[in-house]
Amino acid sequence: MAIVRRVIVIVLLVLLLGAAGATYYSYNLLQRPLQVPAGETLVEVSRGAHAKAVLRELQQQQLWSANPELTYLASRLWAAADQLQAGVYQVQPGQTLGQFWQQLQQGRQHQFAITLVEGQTLAQWLRLLQQHPYLSDRELQQTDALTVAVAGSDRWPSLEGLLAPDTYHFYAGTGVIELLRTAYQTQQQRLQAAWQQRAPQLPYTEPYELLIMASIIEKETGVSGERDIVSSVFVNRLREGMRLQSDPTTIYGIADFDGNLTRAHLRERTPYNTYRIDGLPPTPIAMPGQASLRAAAQPAQTDYFYFVADGSGGHVFSKTLAEHNRAVDRYQRGKH
């Protein structure tokens, strides 16, 4: 009997040692770091995804190479790995498998960023948004329905100019309309702030007209120190009843513009050809940033009525047509 008891004790010890070893191994398995390469690495977890499916994804991306069955059992034992939230997650160098499961349980998703640049048009922004793989509802067109969906009313002829240039952060699955609503609300706040701080006696009857002018300033110059001077030129012309004669507005009204603005274009009567129409065009022609909004609201005090590009990114400003013609000869026609 003593021998039998001794055998039983030995067997129990072996089993205990085996269980302890398996427990130690399984615990340490979750302390192993994922094999994360340099650069951004994303893992997508579908709604209702099982931990085994996530482990397969890790192996397919060569982020994990240990036995999948043992890894799954260890994850169930130590990490409650079936309590996962769907989303797209970024894994970091040095991150352990246990930390990865905790990240998924807490829903700490990767936050994407997209920069919508000032001076670009609504069409350009929509093309950029349509290319982002983690935005939903991307097949959008410039329609009245889109304007109403974003702005919440049909008071605007289009969304052009009404969206704030900025860098926007979002999670996978965010809709484009949701993002654009944020941009719309931000631009409304910026526009109202500019309108409230506007100089007296500007030739604008409502904030939307100031927004139109800001968009023209945005397209006319990228030099920060010139914006208020460009603004003053257009204000002076409006006050004198002169046409704006702005190339960017005219170009905006040309379908399929090929980059070559011709005399025929300048003669064509369109709602945006400010060589042919009086006053402002009917809508903004681009998305203006805050600097252009401020310039439209607070133009410099000048006697300038003309400006021409100087070939280095800036402009030469003139008070009279004779001065302007000389500047055109020098900087555009190469006559010195």
Side-chain angles (χ1 to χ4, degrees), residues 173-203:
T174 298
V176 170
I177 288 178
E178 179 183 346
L179 190 151
L180 293 181
R181 282 175 181 157
T182 300
Y184 171 78
Q185 292 162 3
T186 302
Q187 191 76 321
Q188 285 295 298
Q189 294 168 1
R190 293 176 180 177
L191 177 59
Q192 290 304 318
W195 182 253
Q196 291 169 9
Q197 298 167 10
R198 71 191 187 278
Q201 300 180 331
L202 291 180

Side-chain angles (χ1 to χ4, degrees), residues 120-123 125 156 158-165 183-184 186-188 191 208 210-212 214-215 252 283-289 293:
Q120 292 187 345
T121 64
L122 175 61
W125 280 17
W156 310 114
S158 84
L159 288 175
E160 197 71 84
L162 290 167
L163 308 176
Y184 171 78
T186 302
Q187 191 76 321
Q188 285 295 298
L191 177 59
Y208 191 65
L210 187 144
L211 182 68
I212 294 172
S215 75
Y252 186 83
T283 72
I285 61 170
M287 305 296 183
L293 286 170

Side-chain angles (χ1 to χ4, degrees), residues 70-182:
L70 290 177
T71 302
Y72 172 68
L73 292 174
S75 300
R76 288 291 303 275
L77 178 63
W78 296 106
D82 280 337
Q83 301 173 15
L84 311 177
Q85 297 188 42
V88 174
Y89 297 86
Q90 182 174 3
V91 291
Q92 305 287 348
Q95 183 177 7
T96 67
L97 181 62
Q99 291 170 336
F100 175 71
W101 290 130
Q102 187 177 54
Q103 181 183 3
L104 269 59
Q105 290 162 5
Q106 296 174 354
R108 290 185 276 114
Q109 298 183 48
H110 176 62
Q111 197 172 55
F112 294 92
I114 191 166
T115 299
L116 302 177
V117 179
E118 61 268 15
Q120 292 187 345
T121 64
L122 175 61
Q124 289 174 305
W125 280 17
L126 290 181
R127 283 196 294 272
L128 178 65
L129 293 168
Q130 287 166 357
Q131 294 169 5
H132 200 290
Y134 290 104
L135 282 169
S136 63
D137 304 327
R138 290 180 287 151
E139 300 304 318
L140 298 175
Q141 304 297 325
Q142 296 184 62
T143 63
D144 292 341
L146 176 61
T147 301
V148 173
V150 172
S153 77
D154 60 358
R155 63 177 295 194
W156 310 114
S158 84
L159 288 175
E160 197 71 84
L162 290 167
L163 308 176
D166 214 327
T167 297
Y168 294 91
H169 297 85
F170 60 93
Y171 295 110
T174 298
V176 170
I177 288 178
E178 179 183 346
L179 190 151
L180 293 181
R181 282 175 181 157
T182 300

Side-chain angles (χ1 to χ4, degrees), residues 8-23:
I8 292 174
V9 169
I10 292 172
V11 170
L12 289 175
L13 285 173
V14 169
L15 290 174
L16 286 172
L17 288 172
T23 301

